[in-house]
Amino acid sequence: MALPLAQEIIFGLVIGSYIALGAIGFTLVYGLVNMINFAHGEFVTIGAYVGFLSIQIAGLPLPVALVVTFFGTAVIGWAIARVTFEPMNDAGAVPLLLMSIGLGLVLRNLIRLVAGAGGRDVQVGVATYRFEDLGFFVTSQQLFIVGVTLLVVLVLHLFLSRTMLGIAMRATAGNEDLALVSGIDTRRVRNVVWLAAAGLAGVAGILLAVAQEASATVGFGQLLLMITAAILGGAGSPYGAVAGSYLLGIGIAVSVAFLPAGVTAFGSTMAFVVLILVLLVRPGGLVNAEVRTT
Amino acid sequence: MKFEDLPVDATRAGAVLLVLAVAFLFSPLFVRPPAATLVLFEVGVLFLLYALVLVGLNLQFGHTGLVNFGPVAFFAVGGYVAAIVTANDPYGAVGLGLPWPVGLAAGVVVAVVLGALIGASTLRLRDDFLAIVTLAVAEIVHGLIVTVRDVTGGSNGLQNVPRPIAATTGGGGAGELFATVLVFGALAVLFYGLFHRLSASPYGRVLRAIRADEQVTETLGKRVFRYKFVVFVYGAAVAGLAGALLVFYNGAAAPGFFTINVTVIVWIGMLIGGAGNDRGVLGGLAIIMGFQLATRFLNEQLPVITPDQFASVRLMLIGLLLMVIIKYRPEGIWGDADELGVES
């Protein structure tokens, strides 16, 4: 049984990578803008289509397309947030959340209307590396997906810990009013957060488009997983979100492989059960964020 | 006269109407509305059931500020439990074949238990966590209905559920529709009256205090958690009741009746009408359901667009409507901006 486990863990790392790229953005927005963004999945979808256009239509090689998608989705997402969320930043959590639900409905159906209900394949050459004596295989695609995610996490870490902007971001997340009186331009910080969140969601989108397909609901399908991972890690903590995502990804892959078929038929339903259990037992997640009312 | 205070007490009116409706059911009389109006009656049945869900949701969100994004979960649980308890030998599903009052009670009880479980676990956390958990629970319930095929019949649904109203009116058709609207209407008025009484009483004042500021309310010696818990369970109960009624009206339960669209319609109706205004939210529900009905006719007039594209356009318009309301009129049409603590 030990050998298939290695294979399942590879699958889990891949699933965790998609979730992580989305969950980081979700949790940054949650921590800094103080809102639950139910339209975050649509940023992933936009990324999937930007990726599809740049690979299939413009014919860019994958690494270039990845960079194009990151910046393209970042700007689109930022512009959308600028028009919708930014003007009502002081309205409070619930109006922002309702706004994001409306925005999600609009974007999802707009994409469906323009791009059609069916999915679009993105063709990329894949090489498979087999380790026969160890009993598992890795594809170049899987290595690429996990590699990109780890690189992103590393860059994010350097950004948050070594640049003034990143430090300003952490300060704003900690206490927005204090950050403001210390001379931090919190508006600029929020702009950066939207750019980063949308850009990372875009990267998740192009990876999903390459590994599966680009469709109008590809991001929405990931949304509750991203939220689960973010809460599992501790809402508002990007490091927690990464850890939560990989735990969730490996958990899904391993349970699908080893639990009896009757249980795994529940599929991602299990993830939501996990979410509720986490909230019951340790609502602050891995990093024990402050979530109680009083 | 203000919109809020009409001279008739809705609770009494609802009770009287219910008695009359039941008397009508067992009388030899029947009314068969003209065929052209049947579509209105069909939408009317759905409107009355959604109104029941909305009455509970408005107490939760409008008065107490609890963000429940999963009213459809309780609606679905009430419906499916009622169906499982009462169905006679459904194809590929479980049916206990018990009489319908047992099913109705079971549906409500299970919805209450689910509400109590969610409430006990989440109502102590920050407001927005309730939104996530209720949304997730709605997804879980929907996922379970589709995956536990042997019990629920999966995507085929669960047939052979008794139809008490159809049974007394001698089969389906126009006569049944009319009688159903009468009975459901009476129930909707009754529950509207009960919940309106609750929210107009000192109890309701505490709820609005909780919405405005939980900590201050707690400091005044009110047990905030208990109030929130009870309100959450009330909402779950009435949604469960509505779900059971739907199943007894249809004679079947199917996943298509209990999609996230129910949540979206009910929420948007509440926000259009003005959360916290008991009568306003029902007006909002009528507006959004009227919009849906109108667009349905419009689609038949415009054959250029496929129904699939049209569905996307309609959902886009609904989403846009939600965004416009939140941004430009967060208190809705009949809501009180000062009381809700919002600015447009």
Side-chain angles (χ1 to χ4, degrees), chain A residues 25 44 46 55-56 64 67 73 153 175 187 205 211 217-218 238 257 269 271 289:
Chain A
V44 174
I46 292 173
I55 294 176
Q56 290 300 95
V64 182
V67 176
T73 316
V153 171
N175 187 327
R187 242 184 75 145
T217 50
V218 65
T269 305

Side-chain angles (χ1 to χ4, degrees), chain B residues 108-196:
Chain B
V108 174
V109 167
V110 176
V112 163
V113 170
L114 180 67
L117 280 176
I118 299 173
S121 55
T122 353
L123 286 174
R124 289 183 209 275
L125 302 181
R126 273 168 53 161
D127 298 350
D128 33 12
F129 278 77
L130 183 66
I132 296 176
V133 169
T134 46
L135 191 76
V137 167
E139 285 292 312
I140 293 175
V141 168
H142 193 79
L144 283 179
I145 287 172
V146 179
T147 40
V148 196
R149 235 175 266 120
D150 303 337
V151 180
T152 63
S155 48
N156 294 326
L158 222 154
Q159 277 84 27
N160 295 342
V161 176
R163 301 169 68 184
I165 292 180
T168 53
T169 54
E176 187 213 346
L177 263 179
F178 183 82
T180 309
V181 167
L182 210 60
V183 175
F184 288 6
L187 282 171
V189 173
L190 177 65
F191 276 94
Y192 162 78
L194 287 173
F195 277 62
H196 183 62

Side-chain angles (χ1 to χ4, degrees), chain B residues 5-332:
Chain B
D5 27 50
L6 289 176
V8 192
D9 177 60
T11 318
R12 247 174 250 159
V16 172
L17 264 177
L18 191 61
V19 172
L20 288 179
V22 172
F24 174 79
L25 270 184
F26 287 100
S27 72
L29 297 170
F30 66 92
V31 176
R32 188 169 289 153
T37 60
L38 283 189
V39 66
L40 287 179
F41 278 91
E42 275 167 25
V43 174
V45 169
L46 219 50
F47 171 79
L48 292 169
L49 292 175
Y50 286 4
L52 278 174
V53 178
L54 180 52
V55 159
L57 180 66
N58 187 44
L59 188 71
Q60 293 173 338
F61 177 74
H63 291 289
T64 323
L66 305 177
V67 189
N68 175 7
F69 273 142
V72 70
F74 307 103
F75 191 53
V77 163
Y80 263 92
V81 169
I84 290 169
V85 169
T86 56
N88 293 305
D89 291 325
Y91 175 73
V94 173
L96 302 181
L98 296 171
W100 68 266
V102 181
L104 191 71
V108 174
V109 167
V110 176
V112 163
V113 170
L114 180 67
L117 280 176
I118 299 173
S121 55
T122 353
L123 286 174
R124 289 183 209 275
L125 302 181
R126 273 168 53 161
D127 298 350
D128 33 12
F129 278 77
L130 183 66
I132 296 176
V133 169
T134 46
L135 191 76
V137 167
E139 285 292 312
I140 293 175
V141 168
H142 193 79
L144 283 179
I145 287 172
V146 179
T147 40
V148 196
R149 235 175 266 120
D150 303 337
V151 180
T152 63
S155 48
N156 294 326
L158 222 154
Q159 277 84 27
N160 295 342
V161 176
R163 301 169 68 184
I165 292 180
T168 53
T169 54
E176 187 213 346
L177 263 179
F178 183 82
T180 309
V181 167
L182 210 60
V183 175
F184 288 6
L187 282 171
V189 173
L190 177 65
F191 276 94
Y192 162 78
L194 287 173
F195 277 62
H196 183 62
R197 267 195 186 181
L198 190 65
S199 65
S201 67
Y203 193 88
R205 224 162 34 233
V206 179
L207 299 184
R208 283 185 290 280
I210 291 173
R211 184 185 63 199
D213 194 321
E214 256 179 51
Q215 276 164 1
V216 170
T217 316
E218 185 88 51
T219 319
L220 290 174
K222 306 293 179 194
R223 296 189 180 179
V224 170
F225 173 72
R226 184 179 290 182
Y227 278 91
K228 292 205 290 189
F229 180 78
V230 169
V231 163
F232 194 74
V233 170
Y234 282 163
V238 70
L241 174 73
L245 292 176
L246 175 66
V247 166
F248 291 134
Y249 160 67
N250 278 318
F257 302 144
F258 305 106
T259 62
I260 192 160
N261 281 352
V262 179
T263 302
V264 172
I265 293 298
V266 174
W267 260 94
I268 292 185
M270 175 168 69
L271 294 171
I272 294 176
N277 182 327
D278 293 338
R279 212 165 294 182
V281 294
L282 295 178
L285 185 65
I287 291 174
I288 187 71
M289 292 188 77
F291 167 78
Q292 283 201 310
L293 188 65
T295 52
R296 198 160 86 188
F297 286 123
L298 200 65
N299 189 22
E300 286 162 7
Q301 304 295 318
L302 289 172
V304 234
I305 308 173
T306 66
D308 192 53
Q309 287 171 324
F310 197 81
S312 293
V313 172
R314 193 155 82 171
L315 282 172
M316 249 179 79
L317 287 177
I318 288 177
L320 213 54
L321 185 64
L322 176 57
M323 290 169 70
V324 168
I325 293 169
I326 292 298
K327 185 150 178 193
Y328 297 105
R329 199 164 167 90
E331 74 274 27

Side-chain angles (χ1 to χ4, degrees), chain A residues 16 28 40 45 61 79 87 92 97 107 111 128 152 163 180 220 247 249 255 259 266 279 282:
Chain A
L28 282 177
H40 196 67
T45 309
L97 183 152
L107 289 178
I111 293 170
T128 305
V152 163
T163 64
L180 198 61
F220 189 65
L247 263 179
S255 62
L259 289 179
F266 297 117
L279 284 176
R282 192 179 164 94

